[in-house]
Amino acid sequence: MRRCLIALAVVLVGLPSVTALPASGAAAATVSIDAGQALATIPAVGVGMNVAVWDGRMNDPVTSTLLKDAGVTAVRYPGGSYADGYHWQTHTTENGWYMAANTEFDKYVATTRAAGAQPIVTANYGSGTAQEAADWVRYANVTKGYGIKYWEIGNEVYGNGHYGAEWELDKHASKSPATYATNLVQYVTAMKAVDPTIKIGAVLTTPGNWPDGIVGPGDTQDWNNTVMSIAGSRVDFVIVHHYPYSTNEGELLTKPQAEISTMTRALRDLINRYAGPHVGIAVTEESSNFALNTSPSGLYAPDAYLTWMENGAFTIDWWNLRNGTDCQKVTVIQGATDYNDGGIVSSGETCEPPANTPFPPYYGLQMITKLGGPGDALVRATSSGPLLSAHAVKRANGDVNVMLINKDPGNDVTVDLSYSGFTPSSATPTVYSYRKNASSIGSAATGTAATQTVPAYSIVVVQLRAGSGGGTSACQVDYTKNEWQGGLTANATIRNTGSGPVNGWRLTFTFPGDTKVTNAWNASVTQSGAAVTATNASYNATIPAGGSQSFGFQGTWTGNNANPTGFALNGAACTTGQISEAVRP
């Protein structure tokens, strides 16, 4: 939604030294981690970022380094509302807004690849056509072989004037949700005729935010129900944007827990009503929307990202890498200068630090890389303190990492940690920390697995190795395969051979050959190279003691369809049980 017409120039800088403010007191809290209850898997494109065609530094070499070092795995283009006036073939915009040089599509892809991230592209709905979008897919994935998977159709299309407010360019005679949905189906048809493997998303209104629930003139339902009733069966994901409204930093820091789970439940109910569990949720714009360049946003960013992921979103894309400011709303928040710049690094405006200086949200996102990476299981972590958020990850090797976010600006907090389904090593853990108003992330071996002190207004990640019994699991996996030349269907049954239930499961395994999963049922299945991760659906998350859960998938192969190896349940090895194979001509 945000747009900023600022030309940017390159300045490379070093980072200032760490600065931490002393705490005025101490508090106590308890955090419980259930390593056996997987909530979700960190998605391959979970940590996303927006870039924009007005940013003249978009494709400088430093950009890919900044993105990579922050742990960004997805980069969205061409930039919010610009998308609905942007013509990719000519690299021009119809709405007359500023366009920077050196921001063409191919250069964006090269920068994204150099960062080790995947592109997310917004096709022009407002002034474009289905044919123009299909031609973009053909150029990207057939001509150039970029393999771009995720495509949005339009930006915030509901802001086209249909409900009164108008900020999004839309040249269609009708601005109704029914018109958008009908045209969306045409886009899907044309684009997937070029590349049927791509994933296409539909723009929805964010639950609880304007104009959610409003029935416009001539409509019979609100935007979301209209769009999904017409196009829900044809799309692969839905798109929302999240800019929480806050009047102060304390209110801002309540928003991840107060809003996100409610929003995702509403979206999942809508998806299930019109489509099915295969349709994903993408948050392609996320921002604190308050105290943009100071500590509150640094704390907010990882809390929001991880909460979205725990509730099933597959990408969350911050607005923006560089945004710019008019220097008219410079304030001091929690002892630091806030420039009202929506970027996570400085644009180098006259009131700001040198260009590319990271702001606190940059470090907040970078702290996610200390917690875990794509494929790791997000497990349940609960905190007793209203000013302390907790998130936890169980890694494939059985280790557990815990993120603790202290939202109290004046007091350290002493945290007592307890574990279920995991026995930590007695060794002193490695602890990463991002402190209030700091300009780097520190690390030390400190505290214990049972007790950690989290400084005021800081983020701490405690990395714990599995101790005796900490990485074992009582499970068996049976595997049944029906194979033919070039294809297969398979079924995996996970048997709980332990004495207690498994609450939430994530099964990982590796294909020795070149098998590729194309679709799945009764689980969310992702694949990175030969490594496969299957995560429970909402209805089969529990495996009772002595019980089992099954899921299946369809796949393709070329030269080697050998059976998978290395089954692990929630990061701990399982025994391999019965293997059944059938081959048909």
Side-chain angles (χ1 to χ4, degrees):
M1 174 177 177
R2 298 220 184 146
R3 295 141 295 191
C4 190
L5 315 183
I6 293 178
L8 304 174
V10 145
V11 182
L12 300 181
V13 299
L15 299 181
S17 60
V18 175
T19 302
L21 300 184
S24 60
T30 61
V31 167
S32 301
I33 296 103
D34 186 348
Q37 185 169 0
L39 304 174
T41 299
I42 296 180
V45 291
V47 180
M49 183 63 57
N50 277 271
V51 295
V53 290
W54 69 73
D55 176 8
R57 295 187 178 89
M58 179 204 290
N59 296 307
D60 291 348
V62 68
T63 297
S64 58
T65 301
L66 287 166
L67 292 168
K68 188 172 185 177
D69 289 351
V72 170
T73 55
V75 181
R76 180 179 182 246
Y77 175 94
S81 296
Y82 265 68
D84 281 317
Y86 180 71
H87 296 294
W88 69 273
Q89 300 102 322
T90 58
H91 190 58
T92 58
T93 181
E94 271 192 54
N95 41 29
W97 293 338
Y98 172 79
M99 293 277 289
N102 300 313
T103 59
E104 293 87 353
F105 173 65
D106 289 307
K107 294 179 180 178
Y108 146 78
V109 174
T111 295
T112 300
R113 282 183 161 183
Q118 293 190 43
I120 296 177
V121 175
T122 311
N124 182 349
Y125 173 79
S127 62
T129 64
Q131 186 60 55
E132 181 182 33
D135 290 342
W136 201 352
V137 174
R138 180 176 292 104
Y139 176 79
N141 290 359
V142 179
T143 303
K144 303 294 289 190
Y146 290 150
I148 296 177
K149 183 176 182 179
Y150 299 105
W151 299 78
E152 301 177 275
I153 309 304
N155 186 55
E156 295 168 353
V157 185
Y158 47 81
N160 60 9
H162 185 68
Y163 297 99
E166 184 174 1
W167 66 84
E168 202 74 18
L169 180 66
D170 185 353
K171 289 192 167 185
H172 296 90
S174 168
K175 309 296 193 294
S176 73
T179 298
Y180 170 70
T182 301
N183 288 330
L184 172 59
V185 171
Q186 295 176 8
Y187 274 72
V188 172
T189 301
M191 294 166 74
K192 288 200 172 187
V194 175
D195 184 352
T197 70
I198 64 174
K199 304 295 183 183
I200 296 179
V203 172
L204 297 187
T205 64
T206 306
N209 289 250
W210 186 94
D212 181 44
I214 296 174
V215 177
D219 300 337
T220 58
Q221 298 185 95
D222 66 1
W223 180 278
N224 286 358
N225 279 280
T226 302
V227 169
M228 292 301 287
S229 66
I230 296 171
S233 64
R234 298 295 304 279
V235 299
D236 302 291
F237 60 97
V238 300
I239 303 154
V240 294
H241 293 171
H242 186 225
Y243 291 94
Y245 173 77
S246 307
T247 57
N248 57 68
E249 52 263 42
E251 182 183 6
L252 167 67
L253 294 178
T254 68
K255 294 298 183 177
Q257 284 70 43
E259 293 185 349
I260 290 173
S261 63
T262 301
M263 290 174 176
T264 53
R265 280 197 302 271
L267 289 170
R268 187 51 63 191
D269 287 346
L270 184 76
I271 289 167
N272 289 341
R273 189 179 314 141
Y274 295 110
H278 66 281
V279 173
I281 297 171
V283 188
T284 59
E285 290 184 21
E286 167 65 87
S287 170
S288 60
N289 209 32
F290 183 85
L292 298 172
N293 315 127
T294 42
S295 288
S297 285
L299 304 183
Y300 172 86
D303 205 14
Y305 270 63
L306 292 166
T307 304
W308 278 114
M309 291 181 204
E310 289 161 354
N311 283 275
F314 73 85
T315 188
I316 305 93
D317 310 324
W318 191 265
W319 186 272
N320 196 5
L321 178 62
R322 300 183 192 89
N323 190 73
T325 179
D326 59 10
C327 295
Q328 299 299 305
K329 297 180 181 179
V330 177
T331 57
V332 175
I333 296 176
Q334 290 299 325
T337 303
D338 195 284
Y339 306 97
N340 195 44
D341 185 334
I344 65 167
V345 300
S346 172
S347 63
E349 292 303 307
T350 56
C351 61
E352 292 188 308
N356 300 318
T357 301
F359 293 131
Y362 182 93
Y363 297 113
L365 295 185
Q366 198 172 45
M367 286 295 284
I368 297 176
T369 68
K370 311 303 181 186
L371 181 69
D376 287 335
L378 288 156
V379 299
R380 184 168 297 282
T382 55
S383 168
S384 68
L387 297 180
L388 182 75
S389 285
H391 304 275
V393 156
K394 188 168 187 180
R395 313 206 72 170
N397 64 359
D399 293 346
V400 167
N401 298 335
V402 182
M403 178 181 285
L404 305 170
I405 304 173
N406 182 1
K407 304 173 185 178
D408 187 331
N411 296 288
D412 297 355
V413 59
T414 299
V415 182
D416 292 330
L417 299 109
S418 63
Y419 307 90
S420 174
F422 174 73
T423 301
S425 165
S426 60
T428 301
T430 299
V431 177
Y432 289 88
S433 61
Y434 178 65
R435 297 193 173 209
K436 183 178 182 180
N437 298 333
S439 55
S440 67
I441 292 171
S443 66
T446 186
T448 69
T451 304
Q452 289 287 331
T453 297
V454 185
Y457 243 41
S458 74
I459 307 167
V460 160
V461 170
V462 185
Q463 295 187 341
L464 301 158
R465 301 300 300 269
S468 176
T472 62
S473 182
C475 56
Q476 174 183 304
V477 176
D478 298 336
Y479 184 74
T480 302
K481 176 178 69 177
N482 189 341
E483 168 188 308
W484 60 94
Q485 182 58 47
L488 79 153
T489 59
N491 189 80
T493 299
I494 308 166
R495 302 190 186 280
N496 179 2
T497 57
S499 59
V502 174
N503 297 312
W505 52 266
R506 178 181 64 109
L507 188 74
T508 56
F509 54 90
T510 300
F511 286 120
D514 56 13
T515 307
K516 301 294 183 185
V517 175
T518 56
N519 59 74
W521 47 95
N522 295 333
S524 173
V525 178
T526 59
Q527 185 171 356
S528 177
V532 179
T533 300
T535 305
N536 64 266
S538 60
Y539 52 81
N540 64 0
T542 298
I543 311 177
S548 65
Q549 294 287 3
S550 297
F551 69 93
F553 59 87
Q554 188 172 10
T556 61
W557 58 281
T558 302
N560 185 345
N561 186 35
N563 295 325
T565 60
F567 291 108
L569 179 64
N570 294 340
C574 293
T575 59
T576 300
Q578 182 177 359
I579 301 291
S580 301
E581 300 182 51
V583 179
R584 72 178 196 228

